[in-house]
């Protein structure tokens, strides 16, 4: 995957940092932890979490969009399902990044900084993609229940069994029709008879 130009990366990373900081702070407050967002820093009771550019989720966003596009290419679904899957890659990757930051804040308050930093930088980075793929699988399951594929209007065509059709015909026909001098049946006549009987 090619890296983005520096200006574009900077322009996209800052809004993602702000969203991740605000939503993670709100989630921590909802869980009952004293949290305050100041710029891109979340202040907890005894600790601070800095949501730097590396934590903006930009690399996760592009990686997961590529993964969702790969999933769309290999599944057999209606085009509406495929469009929804690719479009949902953005909110899923942002949600997973916010869950990572929120869990880190909870661990800072409950367990301590050493374990929280280990989870934040190592373990959570590895677990983000499996978590995002799990959410994508849940979305596929939900879409298969909500958007039911319509049944085909006509029955599928069956292949013609020329050999069985020529043996099993009981309709009266002209004995000389389609016969050659050697007694074998002419192939075009056998095909016409098989089509007439099907």
């Amino acid at each position: 995957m090619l890296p983005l130009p520096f200006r574009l990366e900077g322009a996209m990373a800052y809004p993602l940092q702000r969203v991740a900081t605000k939503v993670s702070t709100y989630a921590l407050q909802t869980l009952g932890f004293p949290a305050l967002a100041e710029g891109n820093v979340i202040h907890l009771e005894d600790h601070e979490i800095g949501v730097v550019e590396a934590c903006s989720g930009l690399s996760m966003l592009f990686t997961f969009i590529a993964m969702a596009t790969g999933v769309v290419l290999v599944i057999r679904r209606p085009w509406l399902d495929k469009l929804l899957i690719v479009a949902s890659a953005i909110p899923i990757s942002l949600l997973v990044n916010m869950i990572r930051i929120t869990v880190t804040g909870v661990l800072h308050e409950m367990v301590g900084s050493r374990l929280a930093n280990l989870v934040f930088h190592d373990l959570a980075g590895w677990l983000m993609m499996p978590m995002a793929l799990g959410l994508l699988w849940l979305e596929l399951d939900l879409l298969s229940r909500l958007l039911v594929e319509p049944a085909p209007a006509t029955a599928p065509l069956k292949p013609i069994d020329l050999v069985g059709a020529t043996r099993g015909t009981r309709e009266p026909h002209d004995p000389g029709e389609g016969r050659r001098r050697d007694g074998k049946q002419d192939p075009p006549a056998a095909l016409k008879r098989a089509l007439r009987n099907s």
Side-chain angles (χ1 to χ4, degrees), residues 2-198:
L2 294 173
L4 290 173
F6 179 74
R7 286 188 179 183
L8 182 61
E9 185 175 342
M12 291 179 71
Y14 183 72
L16 290 175
Q17 282 176 272
R18 292 296 301 146
V19 169
T21 304
K22 286 184 177 182
V23 174
S24 299
T25 303
Y26 179 76
L28 286 166
Q29 291 171 351
T30 304
L31 292 171
F33 296 99
L36 176 69
E38 186 179 328
N40 291 330
V41 177
I42 301 173
H43 296 280
L44 299 169
E45 194 169 347
D46 297 326
H47 307 284
E48 291 181 352
I49 301 173
V51 183
V52 295
E53 281 188 26
C55 305
S56 67
L58 189 61
S59 59
M60 172 68 182
L61 175 68
F62 284 110
T63 305
F64 193 64
I65 287 174
M67 291 286 285
T69 304
V71 168
V72 162
L73 291 174
V74 297
I75 61 172
R76 291 185 179 177
R77 290 289 185 100
W79 65 270
L80 180 61
D81 285 10
K82 292 181 176 187
L83 184 68
L84 288 172
I85 290 166
V86 172
S88 68
I90 296 169
I92 287 176
S93 63
L94 295 178
L95 176 69
V96 168
N97 189 43
M98 291 168 210
I99 289 172
R100 177 179 75 141
I101 296 169
T102 304
V103 167
T104 302
V106 170
L107 288 175
H108 268 293
E109 290 295 310
M110 304 273 297
V111 180
S113 297
R114 185 174 175 204
L115 181 63
N117 287 331
L118 174 73
V119 168
F120 186 65
H121 290 291
D122 296 331
L123 188 62
W126 293 341
L127 294 177
M128 282 176 67
M129 189 56 72
M131 186 189 309
L133 288 173
L135 290 173
L136 186 67
W137 178 79
L138 286 174
E139 180 190 3
L140 284 169
D141 188 49
L142 181 67
L143 286 175
S144 65
R145 295 171 193 267
L146 290 177
L147 304 175
V148 180
E149 202 171 338
T154 59
L157 297 175
K158 297 178 183 175
I160 299 172
D161 183 14
L162 293 178
V163 177
T166 56
R167 286 189 205 144
T169 56
R170 296 188 176 175
E171 293 180 6
H173 61 278
D174 182 16
E177 178 189 352
R179 299 268 179 199
R180 297 190 303 204
R181 288 188 181 169
D182 57 1
K184 293 185 179 174
Q185 209 164 18
D186 193 21
L191 181 60
K192 287 179 190 175
R193 191 171 304 108
L195 289 173
R196 204 176 8 190
N197 292 335
S198 62

